[in-house]
Amino acid sequence: MKEIKRIALLTSGGDAPGMNSAVRAVVFSAMKAGIEVVGVYRGYEGLIDWETKVLTLDDVRNINNQGGTILFTSRSERFLNKKYREIAAQNLRENNIDAVVAVGGDGTLRGAVEFRKEGVNYILIPGTIDRDVACTEYTLGFDTAANTAMEAIDRIRDSSVSHGRCSVVEVMGRKRGYIALWAGMGTSADAIVLPEKWDGSYDNITDAIKRRHADGRNSYLVVVAEGVTDAQALADTIREKTGIESRVSVLGYIQRGGQPSAKDRMYASLMGAYSIEILLQGRQNRIVAIKNDRLIDYDIEEAININNNQLDSFQYELSLMLQE
Ligand code: F6P
């Protein structure tokens, strides 16, 4: 078993609240075990250009409360190309790096699977607000993002109620509806439009609003996950079919920023420490995951083949009942 003396640490893909706590826990745990941590800036881009700094405890001591990532991040087009992955692997060899620890989402995992072919030992911590890494029940940043979306929607609702309007609010999530489901249920939305459940028709939404309008209600809230449908087209249809003035708000990057919640700081710290534990046990190419609220890990190749694009069915059914 090769002793781990030096690791590279990076964050990749969309930044997520909690990434800094993961970085902090990796550095603390590694240094305690006598492992040097080389921080790589801008994710895979920094691996290719070897933009790095040896991290000290002072670099990471007080970063738990910071949003974003102190290591910066990127969506690297170049890393999709084998030529650049080879350059990155060569950089790692030349700098005596025994393993890479990365914090990132689905795209980062796909990159990891390819990178492993260059002989790199790769440990991934799932960090993305979308909660779209199928092998884990939790990804860092989701809790903070869902809370940020919920608080923003609460404010939008105040205005919507005052004016007697329908607010259509678009939230992030890429192909997953968890932010929409949690923020929508938390704000008593009248309809939540989810990628996993979308049937392509606005009829259910407009019919429900008409029914409630007939019962005397005068303001409505529809939460829609990005990419499912055009939020403006939905608002226009609601106005045409119900006569109710409808306005769109796209929450956008506000959902990715801000101070991480206690849950994100705690889970990030646990996952960061666990990633070093995996390396100390001599295991290779793993992704850290949460199952039944416990830390586990999967082989990254196995993880990529896990298909779980369903929402929690109890949460979903409950959200429907609560829309009545
Ligand atoms: O990080 C996840 C995410 O915020 C998705 O919800 C969204 O679709 C995407 O990233 C936006 O990516 P970018 O920062 O590249 O615009």
Side-chain angles (χ1 to χ4, degrees):
M1 185 171 103
K2 187 170 184 283
E3 197 191 345
I4 304 282
K5 296 202 193 95
R6 204 163 192 244
I7 61 171
L9 172 63
L10 59 94
T11 52
S12 171
D15 57 297
M19 279 182 164
N20 285 331
S21 294
V23 165
R24 180 176 184 270
V26 167
V27 173
F28 268 74
S29 310
M31 288 184 73
K32 194 169 163 228
I35 299 171
E36 187 172 60
V37 183
V38 177
V40 178
Y41 292 112
R42 298 186 302 113
Y44 291 145
E45 286 290 295
L47 266 191
I48 297 166
D49 298 333
W50 203 245
E51 209 184 310
T52 62
K53 174 190 188 304
V54 173
L55 296 174
T56 65
L57 290 185
D58 280 343
D59 289 324
V60 300
R61 208 179 296 280
N62 291 319
I63 61 173
N64 265 336
N65 63 343
Q66 290 178 30
T69 157
I70 62 156
L71 293 178
F72 310 121
T73 187
S74 62
R75 296 194 192 279
S76 176
E77 287 288 323
R78 289 192 295 169
F79 203 74
L80 299 174
N81 183 327
K82 185 168 165 48
K83 179 176 110 187
Y84 287 103
R85 290 197 297 273
E86 283 170 0
I87 292 173
Q90 181 62 19
N91 284 337
L92 293 171
R93 278 191 295 275
E94 280 171 9
N95 288 281
N96 301 316
I97 301 293
D98 302 309
V100 172
V101 175
V103 191
D106 201 42
T108 309
L109 173 61
R110 280 162 212 290
V113 169
E114 290 307 314
F115 203 34
R116 159 191 206 165
K117 295 176 188 157
E118 308 300 330
V120 175
N121 179 11
Y122 196 119
I123 310 293
L124 181 63
I125 296 170
T128 162
I129 64 167
D130 297 339
R131 208 173 137 180
D132 65 350
V133 179
C135 69
T136 180
E137 289 167 1
Y138 193 71
T139 60
L140 302 178
F142 170 75
D143 184 61
T144 308
N147 275 292
T148 303
M150 183 185 74
E151 285 164 19
I153 298 170
D154 278 343
R155 288 174 167 79
I156 291 168
R157 182 189 267 293
D158 287 346
S159 179
S160 192
V161 169
S162 304
H163 284 264
R165 288 175 177 159
C166 174
S167 283
V168 176
V169 185
E170 183 186 291
V171 299
M172 279 186 169
R174 207 183 287 269
K175 293 184 178 137
R176 302 309 311 270
Y178 270 110
I179 297 176
L181 181 66
W182 280 49
M185 203 161 123
T187 53
S188 323
D190 297 281
I192 307 172
V193 187
L194 302 163
E196 296 85 349
K197 303 288 178 184
W198 171 239
D199 66 1
S201 158
Y202 296 144
D203 291 350
N204 284 345
I205 301 168
T206 52
D207 289 351
I209 291 176
K210 271 193 222 153
R211 243 185 358 258
R212 288 164 206 171
H213 205 49
D215 287 345
R217 291 259 309 275
N218 80 334
S219 70
Y220 306 89
L221 172 63
V222 178
V223 175
V224 53
E226 65 176 352
V228 183
T229 184
D230 177 23
Q232 190 58 56
L234 173 56
D236 292 344
T237 307
I238 292 171
R239 189 170 44 241
E240 274 159 32
K241 296 238 168 123
T242 67
I244 296 161
E245 198 182 352
S246 302
R247 295 288 162 90
V248 173
S249 302
V250 178
L251 296 190
Y253 296 98
I254 189 175
Q255 294 158 100
R256 288 224 301 244
Q259 291 197 331
S261 67
K263 176 168 178 170
D264 279 322
R265 297 181 202 195
M266 173 58 88
Y267 277 59
S269 304
L270 292 170
M271 288 183 175
Y274 189 79
S275 68
I276 298 302
E277 198 49 47
I278 291 173
L279 288 175
L280 292 176
Q281 287 169 6
R283 290 184 299 131
Q284 303 203 336
N285 299 308
R286 313 294 295 176
I287 175 169
V288 179
I290 298 283
K291 191 168 188 192
N292 300 327
D293 216 24
R294 296 188 70 84
L295 286 162
I296 57 164
D297 52 277
Y298 293 93
D299 180 89
I300 53 174
E301 200 94 38
E302 182 190 349
I304 208 146
N305 291 318
I306 296 176
N307 278 320
N308 173 17
N309 49 15
Q310 291 309 304
L311 292 166
D312 178 292
S313 57
F314 186 62
Q315 287 178 16
Y316 173 64
E317 294 302 331
L318 180 60
S319 78
L320 289 180
M321 193 272 279
L322 293 173
Q323 286 165 34
E324 281 307 309

